[in-house]
Amino acid sequence: MKVDIDCYPYINKKNKKLELSIYINDSLNKKISFENNKKNNKIKFIINKENISNNEVKVDFIFDNLTSPYENLESPD
């Protein structure tokens, strides 16, 4: 199964790079890096049939260097 996701990560001047790890059933599937001023807002990965059990699959998105506008004193919300 092919999964395509459009995303718009919050990246600022302090945090110029955002790392994303995608885990399928607790196993690393893919690592993605988002950088400031890049137009790559697509996440694409494949879930193999052997990872699907009882029509279910667990997908975890783990972000490194994640911050909010509030933490960077850019917005109160």
Side-chain angles (χ1 to χ4, degrees):
M1 172 189 333
K2 182 179 172 186
V3 179
D4 293 331
I5 300 173
D6 288 330
C7 70
Y8 301 94
Y10 170 72
I11 300 174
N12 63 24
K13 292 178 183 177
K14 289 182 184 178
N15 187 18
K16 296 181 181 183
K17 191 174 183 180
L18 180 64
E19 301 286 333
L20 169 65
S21 299
I22 300 171
Y23 288 84
I24 307 294
N25 295 333
D26 298 322
S27 294
L28 181 63
N29 180 281
K30 188 172 192 175
K31 286 188 158 241
I32 300 171
S33 178
F34 296 100
E35 294 183 24
N36 206 4
N37 297 327
K38 294 233 177 162
K39 300 294 180 187
N40 184 9
N41 294 324
K42 301 269 187 198
I43 297 173
K44 297 181 179 186
F45 60 96
I46 296 189
I47 299 173
N48 297 322
K49 288 181 182 180
E50 57 267 9
N51 289 328
I52 301 171
S53 175
N54 296 325
N55 289 326
E56 293 181 359
V57 64
K58 178 183 171 196
V59 180
D60 291 311
F61 299 94
I62 309 297
F63 291 90
D64 292 332
N65 304 330
L66 194 61
T67 62
S68 72
Y70 178 77
E71 291 172 314
N72 292 306
L73 304 173
E74 294 179 8
S75 176
D77 49 313

